[in-house]
Amino acid sequence: MVIYFVRRLAILAVSLFAASILVFTMLSLLPGDQAQAMLGVNATPEALEALREQFGTNRPFTERYMEWAGGLIRGDFGISPLSGVSVGSEISDKLGVTVPLILAGMTLALLIAVPLGILAAVKSRTAIGTALSALSQVGIAVPSFWLGILLITVFAVKLQWLPAGGFTGWDDFGGAVRALLMPALVLGVAQGAILMRYVRSAVVEVMQEDFIQTARAKGLSRSQALTRHALRNAAIPVITVLGLQLATLLIGTVVIENVFGLPGLGRMLLQDVGNRDLLKVQGTVMVLTAAVLLINFVVDVVYHAVDPRLRSKA
């Protein structure tokens, strides 16, 4: 297990290095001139060159990459040329909104998917199972932005129970929680519907295995066989899907944060793309990429630890 962990850690490090090169290269190849965009079409060549010198965009590609990558290793993302603020501090502030939103959304998704997925599997040949399967299909089909607008219309505009958007900050803990309730619900419903189908399929498949039939033949009831043997084995493929869902939530927050006006990482990314603040875009994309790679690393390690068949092959 230790050897496998070290091996996966080395793969993670190589993946992060490759991702940093890819992110930096792709953003460097984007058309347009940041100095020209800031100074306008009437800027003199001398002024443009001075601004390029200030930003460092006139230096060789390798030199610029090494400086940026070295800063990442030290935790220094640089200073935004537009705002004059540390990119790292801005990303950290936005993560204070995005991370709790993702955790709340995934918690709600699990609360929806696990019990309803198990119930749909146990009742797969009944009207209840059919209804739950249809409900999950509806949850998958409904666009997240439309559900968000619907919740705003009902709970913020008509009932006035929750704020329509914005974020008060964690100093006002109650206000912050209320601001995240609807966005977390939108994320939880969408991801819970997808995860529910995987839970159902995994439990149905495991319940048909020979060892479950043997357990039933030895006198265990259906519910006892489910709780003692089936759920642990059904959890193995679900763990992988859960990791993928977490990665998907990182991307999904871009839409949800804009619908609800939350000052999170996704909304900042879209604003920075529009403002051509490439240094902040680079830092934000790299953080999101690193988060996805880290999630995959954790999922692989947990999957390996849970499944004894993989441990025997290591």
Side-chain angles (χ1 to χ4, degrees):
M1 184 66 192
V2 175
I3 295 175
Y4 177 81
F5 180 82
V6 173
R7 188 188 310 149
R8 292 300 307 173
L9 198 60
I11 294 175
L12 174 63
V14 173
S15 300
L16 287 171
F17 173 66
S20 69
I21 295 177
L22 182 61
V23 168
F24 189 85
T25 302
M26 294 300 293
L27 289 175
S28 297
L29 293 176
L30 289 177
D33 184 353
Q34 188 173 13
Q36 186 78 66
M38 291 182 63
L39 296 180
V41 294
N42 297 323
T44 64
E46 293 78 11
L48 290 172
E49 188 60 30
L51 196 57
R52 293 187 190 108
E53 180 67 29
Q54 178 183 340
F55 294 162
T57 55
N58 58 353
R59 289 182 293 166
F61 173 86
T62 305
E63 182 181 340
R64 288 186 288 117
Y65 170 75
M66 293 301 293
E67 181 180 354
W68 179 69
L72 291 182
I73 295 174
R74 300 189 304 270
D76 181 10
F77 288 78
I79 303 297
S80 168
L82 294 183
S83 65
V85 180
S86 168
V87 174
S89 65
E90 289 207 48
I91 291 176
S92 178
D93 290 342
K94 304 307 179 184
L95 284 175
V97 178
T98 300
V99 171
L101 175 60
I102 291 174
L103 293 177
M106 182 52 69
T107 300
L108 286 173
L110 288 172
L111 291 175
I112 293 170
V114 174
L116 293 183
I118 294 173
L119 181 61
V122 173
K123 303 289 187 180
S124 59
R125 298 182 180 179
T126 66
I128 294 177
T130 302
L132 289 174
S133 296
L135 187 62
S136 68
Q137 290 281 24
V138 173
I140 294 171
V142 173
S144 296
F145 71 88
W146 181 85
L147 181 59
I149 294 172
L150 178 64
L151 291 180
I152 290 173
T153 303
V154 175
F155 293 104
V157 177
K158 292 188 176 181
L159 299 177
Q160 297 184 354
W161 290 352
L162 297 170
F167 188 74
T168 59
W170 290 107
D171 292 335
D172 180 11
F173 183 78
V177 171
R178 294 177 71 246
L180 293 180
L181 274 178
M182 286 195 293
L185 182 59
V186 173
L187 290 175
V189 168
Q191 300 304 318
I194 297 172
L195 193 59
M196 175 184 163
R197 295 192 63 81
Y198 282 100
V199 172
R200 177 191 178 280
S201 298
V203 174
V204 168
E205 183 177 349
V206 170
M207 289 298 290
Q208 295 173 349
E209 295 288 341
D210 291 339
F211 68 90
I212 296 295
Q213 305 305 321
T214 301
R216 293 293 305 278
K218 289 183 177 181
L220 292 183
S221 66
R222 184 179 177 86
S223 60
Q224 289 174 329
L226 175 68
T227 55
R228 295 184 187 181
H229 302 288
L231 291 183
R232 186 174 186 273
N233 287 276
I236 294 174
V238 173
I239 289 174
T240 303
V241 178
L242 185 60
L244 295 175
Q245 293 299 97
L246 271 172
T248 303
L249 275 177
L250 284 172
I251 309 303
T253 53
V254 175
V255 176
I256 299 304
E257 286 176 356
N258 278 276
V259 170
F260 288 93
L262 296 175
L265 204 61
R267 191 179 185 204
M268 184 183 75
L269 177 60
L270 285 184
Q271 291 173 343
D272 291 337
V273 169
N275 295 332
R276 292 193 59 81
D277 194 342
L278 296 185
L279 190 61
K280 281 175 67 177
V281 173
Q282 280 179 184
T284 304
V285 172
M286 192 61 214
V287 166
L288 293 174
T289 303
V292 172
L293 292 174
L294 184 61
I295 288 170
N296 290 333
F297 166 75
V298 173
V299 168
D300 284 342
V301 172
V302 172
Y303 194 98
H304 195 84
V306 171
D307 194 339
R309 295 170 298 181
L310 295 178
R311 291 201 299 268
S312 62
K313 295 178 182 178

